[in-house]
């Protein structure tokens, strides 16, 4: 579609992400290809992890994952799970996405002790050593002797900043 007839983003409905940039009709809208590439490059989550999911934008850059398919657009309140925030300098995965898909990640994952994890889920920041990339990380801790994703952290300047939403914070 030419730029002079480009569609506008409508924040009152879900619109399916276009498969590729060539199919994009709304300026700034992420594509399925970009979303899969981002999860693969940032966290090492293979694209096939999402082969049975469709991706939808509602609002400006609020991406949802749906484990099925429906006709686009959809005018409903929720569709699947909140997945990713785009249309900002750095894309940010949601807590729900990390808890659902973060177990497949093999990059940008920081594993915390039980005490560090308790501090993290309570919403507190902490100074920690990390040899990987700065930015959003998948935070894991052992649950029943296995590493489990517990949330999204933002690592900058030697500090892990908890991104656990206020309503989801817990004392362990």
């Amino acid at each position: 579609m030419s730029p002079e007839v480009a569609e506008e983003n409508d924040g009152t409905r879900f619109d399916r992400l276009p498969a590729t940039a060539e199919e994009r009709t709304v300026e700034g809208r992420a594509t399925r290809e970009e979303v899969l590439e981002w999860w693969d490059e940032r966290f090492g989550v293979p694209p096939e992890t999402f082969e049975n999911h469709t991706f939808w934008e509602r609002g400006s850059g609020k991406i949802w994952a749906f484990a099925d398919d429906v006709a686009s657009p959809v005018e409903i309140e929720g569709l699947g799970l909140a997945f990713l925030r785009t249309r900002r300098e750095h894309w940010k995965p949601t807590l729900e996405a990390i808890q659902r898909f973060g177990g497949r990640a093999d990059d940008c994952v920081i594993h915390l002790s039980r005490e560090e994890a308790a501090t993290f889920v309570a919403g507190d920041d902490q100074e920690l050593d990390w040899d990987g990339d700065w930015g959003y990380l998948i935070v894991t801790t052992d649950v029943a002797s296995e590493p489990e994703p517990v949330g999204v952290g933002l690592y900058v300047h030697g500090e892990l900043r908890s991104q656990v939403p206020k309503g989801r914070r817990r004392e362990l």
Side-chain angles (χ1 to χ4, degrees), residues 14 35 38-39 50 53-58 61-67 77-86 92-102 152 165 168:
F14 286 91
V35 167
W38 185 82
W39 277 85
F50 308 106
H53 291 79
T54 53
F55 297 106
W56 303 78
E57 181 177 36
R58 179 176 176 160
K62 296 175 183 167
I63 308 300
W64 294 63
F66 182 51
E77 290 299 313
L79 183 67
L81 69 95
F83 185 70
L84 182 65
R85 301 288 183 258
T86 63
K92 180 182 183 247
T94 65
L95 172 76
E96 296 81 7
I98 293 303
Q99 289 179 340
R100 171 69 178 87
F101 301 106
V152 181
R168 303 281 300 276

Side-chain angles (χ1 to χ4, degrees), residues 154-167:
L154 177 61
Y155 191 84
V156 290
H157 304 290
E159 181 179 60
L160 180 64
R161 298 178 184 167
S162 177
Q163 301 294 293
V164 176
K166 288 181 182 177

Side-chain angles (χ1 to χ4, degrees), residues 1-77:
M1 190 171 263
S2 64
E4 54 273 8
V5 293
E7 295 177 23
E8 298 274 330
N9 184 50
D10 182 346
T12 66
R13 68 178 193 217
F14 286 91
D15 289 296
R16 181 192 323 272
L17 295 189
T20 65
E22 292 77 32
E23 296 176 21
R24 185 182 348 240
T25 59
V26 175
E27 185 178 342
R29 178 166 286 160
T31 66
R32 177 181 180 83
E33 182 177 67
E34 291 167 341
V35 167
L36 297 178
E37 184 177 286
W38 185 82
W39 277 85
D40 189 23
E41 288 180 5
R42 180 68 191 166
F43 299 118
V45 176
E48 56 271 14
T49 302
F50 308 106
E51 67 187 348
N52 295 320
H53 291 79
T54 53
F55 297 106
W56 303 78
E57 181 177 36
R58 179 176 176 160
S60 184
K62 296 175 183 167
I63 308 300
W64 294 63
F66 182 51
D68 203 349
D69 197 6
V70 294
S72 178
V74 181
E75 294 186 23
I76 57 177
E77 290 299 313

